[in-house]
Amino acid sequence: MIPQIRIARDAGVCYGVERALKLAHEAAGRPGQTGHAYTLGPLIHNPRVVAELAGEGVAVTGAVDSLSAEDTLIIRTHGVEAARITEAQERGITVIDATCPYVRKVQQAVRTLSAEGYQVIIIGEPDHPEVIAVRSHADASALVVSSFDDIPADFSAHKAGVVVQTTQTLDVLQAVTAALMGRCQELRIYNTICDATSKRQEATRELALDSEVMVVVGGQNSGNTTRLAAISRDGGARTYHIERPEELEQAWFSGVQRIGVTAGASTPAEHLAAVVARIEELVA
């Protein structure tokens, strides 16, 4: 019997990534452009897409001062530190802001909290580009925690405000805010988890519960994709996180009748479709 292959009802590229890719493609083909197009850091956390953009003439740079005024700088979906955008503008570089609109909301929330005198707490991965960018919009006292264990034992605040990395899980947000409840006289909470993230996580959870094997497609460096893989494993399915269809192995599907496939928010539809097509070939 040929196994059943099902794709999660919400999977693959989100609005913010689609928007960023459109802006990057347009920047690469701008008529009359004399300089080059660059992204400040990888546009999205998907090495395949970054390589494809490089083939179109959109290179990755890590430094604003390596660019000339004739160049175009595209701000990655995760955002960058506010000072780096200012630096580029002061150098006369054309700046195209491809920061995800949901990430911009987090940045705005942090600015509001700081301006109103709140102790800012950012829930997320300290070294993640989004978190680094968001923190740059807060004052120096901003605290970044990835779990309730990261809250200092002696922490207390008259008033504190919480934001959360857009690709985090609701469980993490709830755990951290519960730990803060008794330590602040006033606690303002912004649930800034992206709706697309929540939908993909829930769809993956549902599919994993009814699948023997799950294949998660997306960059190994993608936080939202690795979280989908973790959710899938928690659901009891044997889970494989891949970037390319060539990574699939026939042995993974031996004796399996229910296969689930999902993809991170930075995985284009054509990449997801290629993986499904390859699975169909392997199990035929």
Side-chain angles (χ1 to χ4, degrees):
M1 182 182 297
I2 297 177
Q4 180 184 32
I5 304 169
R6 293 174 298 169
I7 302 172
R9 55 182 165 78
D10 289 295
V13 69
C14 65
Y15 164 74
V17 170
E18 280 189 325
R19 173 180 174 273
L21 290 173
K22 180 175 182 291
L23 291 171
H25 292 314
E26 290 174 350
R30 278 199 317 165
Q33 180 171 288
T34 56
H36 299 89
Y38 297 87
T39 62
L40 192 53
L43 182 70
I44 60 175
H45 278 163
N46 188 314
R48 288 189 66 190
V49 172
V50 171
E52 289 165 2
L53 286 172
E56 294 182 28
V58 181
V60 178
T61 184
V64 172
D65 59 11
S66 67
L67 276 58
S68 69
E70 290 75 30
D71 293 327
T72 297
L73 184 64
I74 305 165
I75 304 304
R76 61 193 300 171
T77 53
H78 303 101
V80 300
E81 301 96 313
R84 301 184 81 184
I85 296 177
T86 300
E87 179 189 357
Q89 292 170 333
E90 289 177 347
R91 292 173 62 88
I93 297 166
T94 299
V95 176
I96 297 175
D97 191 357
T99 304
C100 171
Y102 286 98
V103 174
R104 281 209 299 267
K105 288 182 179 179
V106 189
Q107 296 172 353
Q108 180 56 57
V110 163
R111 288 195 295 269
T112 298
L113 289 168
S114 293
E116 295 181 5
Y118 285 80
Q119 164 67 58
V120 174
I121 300 168
I122 304 166
I123 302 173
E125 304 156 61
D127 296 329
H128 193 282
E130 178 187 325
V131 174
I132 292 171
V134 167
R135 189 172 189 173
S136 73
H137 291 268
D139 59 38
S141 69
L143 179 66
V144 177
V145 300
S146 55
S147 73
F148 64 86
D149 291 327
D150 294 332
I151 302 171
D154 59 351
F155 176 82
S156 65
H158 173 65
K159 44 183 211 175
V162 174
V163 299
V164 58
Q165 183 181 342
T166 57
T167 56
Q168 285 290 315
T169 65
L170 186 59
D171 288 345
V172 172
L173 173 60
Q174 291 172 334
V176 173
T177 53
L180 290 169
M181 285 295 184
R183 306 195 196 186
C184 310
Q185 294 182 39
E186 180 185 344
L187 184 63
R188 183 185 293 184
I189 301 167
Y190 287 84
N191 178 1
T192 48
I193 297 173
C194 168
D195 183 54
T197 295
S198 298
K199 287 182 176 179
R200 280 153 184 74
Q201 290 175 355
E202 184 56 35
T204 296
R205 185 175 292 109
E206 290 178 3
L207 185 56
L209 288 170
D210 193 37
S211 299
E212 297 164 85
V213 170
M214 284 285 292
V215 176
V216 181
V217 188
Q220 296 289 345
N221 60 342
S222 166
N224 79 83
T225 307
T226 55
R227 267 184 279 282
L228 292 182
I231 288 169
S232 177
R233 293 187 187 100
D234 289 343
R238 183 153 40 91
T239 301
Y240 301 97
H241 177 179
I242 66 169
E243 293 183 0
R244 299 173 177 272
E246 295 81 11
E247 298 172 54
L248 293 164
E249 297 181 21
Q250 192 169 37
W252 295 353
F253 311 109
S254 178
V256 170
Q257 290 303 312
R258 300 187 313 281
I259 301 168
V261 185
T262 190
S266 52
T267 304
E270 58 269 25
H271 291 188
L272 174 57
V275 167
V276 172
R278 180 56 181 157
I279 295 173
E280 290 173 343
E281 291 175 1
L282 291 173
V283 302

